[in-house]
Amino acid sequence: MDPSNFNFFGFDSNAYYAMVAQQQAAQAEQPQEAAQGHFEQHLEAAAQPHAPNPRGQRYQAAPGDEDLIKSAGDAEVARGTAPATVKVYKSSLRRLSQALHHQDGGLSLSGLNDNAVNDYANTLFPDDRQVHSGVVMLTRYRGSAPADPHRRYQATPGDADLIRRAADAARAER
């Protein structure tokens, strides 16, 4: 190859196709055992702890938590949250459950109250908004979350009724 007559931007399709044909011929000459070994390497890689489980989930929930996470996700979809968003929340809850299970004593989401789950989420994943949104979904499912988690202040049930009636009266005067 002449360096002074070399085109960096040129593409020689004949040379490319010759190279591909040569690679395919070399692969065809490989014995079947090599292909089997390559397949077994993929199986070993899939069995590693960081690999997704057969259902395609990246994280393994602690025993007993998977049903709770699934039920909370179903309830959130029924409330009108997009299924893709709920899928992210469920994955983050599985990640929290996995982290709790590896803590001393093998903790689980189903064995902790909502305040403890929130404390562990803040400790283990302080800056992860998806985990915190998943915890809100879980507490909402359990019935201990406020009606609107985005509000800064929540009224007590008795005061909420009084505020609602006052707002209705103000709207009626207009």
Side-chain angles (χ1 to χ4, degrees):
M1 179 184 322
D2 183 15
S4 63
N5 193 18
F6 184 75
N7 183 0
F8 287 102
F9 301 104
F11 177 73
D12 186 7
S13 61
N14 292 332
Y16 172 76
Y17 291 124
M19 179 190 68
V20 170
Q22 191 177 30
Q23 288 176 348
Q24 289 175 348
Q27 288 176 354
E29 293 174 2
Q30 287 181 344
Q32 187 65 19
E33 294 83 28
Q36 180 68 23
H38 186 62
F39 176 72
E40 288 173 1
Q41 285 176 350
H42 283 293
L43 286 179
E44 287 177 17
Q48 298 302 319
H50 63 277
N53 66 14
R55 291 187 289 188
Q57 298 166 348
R58 187 172 177 188
Y59 304 104
Q60 296 288 326
D65 284 351
E66 186 61 39
D67 291 335
L68 177 66
I69 292 170
K70 183 182 179 325
S71 298
D74 293 344
E76 193 70 17
V77 168
R79 289 187 76 233
T81 305
T85 303
V86 172
K87 184 177 179 180
V88 171
Y89 293 168
K90 287 171 34 177
S91 177
S92 64
L93 283 176
R94 283 187 197 96
R95 185 169 64 156
L96 176 61
S97 175
Q98 181 178 351
L100 286 172
H101 187 66
H102 292 301
Q103 292 289 318
D104 296 334
L107 302 171
S108 69
L109 294 174
S110 58
L112 296 172
N113 66 19
D114 293 334
N115 291 332
V117 169
N118 196 22
D119 290 342
Y120 277 110
N122 287 331
T123 303
L124 297 172
F125 304 102
D127 296 328
D128 194 336
R129 295 180 66 181
Q130 293 174 345
V131 170
H132 294 291
S133 297
V135 169
V136 168
M137 179 182 77
L138 180 65
T139 55
R140 192 179 300 136
Y141 170 71
R142 288 180 172 175
S144 60
D148 186 2
H150 301 292
R151 285 189 160 180
R152 184 171 181 176
Y153 302 106
Q154 298 292 328
T156 61
D159 289 344
D161 184 51
L162 177 66
I163 293 168
R164 184 186 50 75
R165 286 186 288 144
D168 290 342
R171 274 189 231 110
E173 288 179 7
R174 286 186 185 177

